[in-house]
Amino acid sequence: MTMLQSVLSALIRSGKVTVEITGMDMDELKKTVWNEAVDMLEEIEGVAYADEMTDREKVEWIQKRLENKELRSI
């Protein structure tokens, strides 16, 4: 996360800043977030069962993926 994202995130969580998004379809947002989570878990599962990676490489890949480093498949 960039510094700006971290600061904004902290301000939003503390209630010092509110975000208003007009025209947002909450059902569509929930569906999108759900699908992204499913995709990420499937990627992690693929790495966990990969024979061509060492356990150390798997752990490093999964950590980076969870930190949102934009890793995609193995």
Side-chain angles (χ1 to χ4, degrees), residues 20-70:
E20 184 176 323
I21 303 172
T22 57
M24 177 182 280
D25 179 357
M26 288 305 292
D27 290 332
E28 188 64 32
L29 177 62
K30 287 178 187 177
K31 182 179 163 185
T32 300
V33 170
W34 178 265
N35 290 338
E36 285 292 320
V38 168
D39 290 346
M40 180 186 296
L41 289 173
E42 288 174 348
E43 287 179 58
I44 290 171
E45 179 184 38
V47 168
Y49 289 109
D51 291 332
E52 45 298 315
M53 297 174 76
T54 66
D55 288 345
R56 181 183 199 130
E57 291 171 329
K58 292 176 187 181
V59 169
E60 289 173 356
W61 189 97
I62 291 169
Q63 284 176 332
K64 287 178 184 175
R65 182 64 181 100
L66 291 174
E67 292 169 357
N68 200 21
K69 300 272 185 184
E70 293 303 320

Side-chain angles (χ1 to χ4, degrees), residues 6-23:
S6 297
V7 171
L8 287 175
S9 179
L11 290 172
I12 291 168
R13 281 193 307 271
S14 69
K16 295 178 182 176
V17 172
T18 56
V19 177
E20 184 176 323
I21 303 172
T22 57

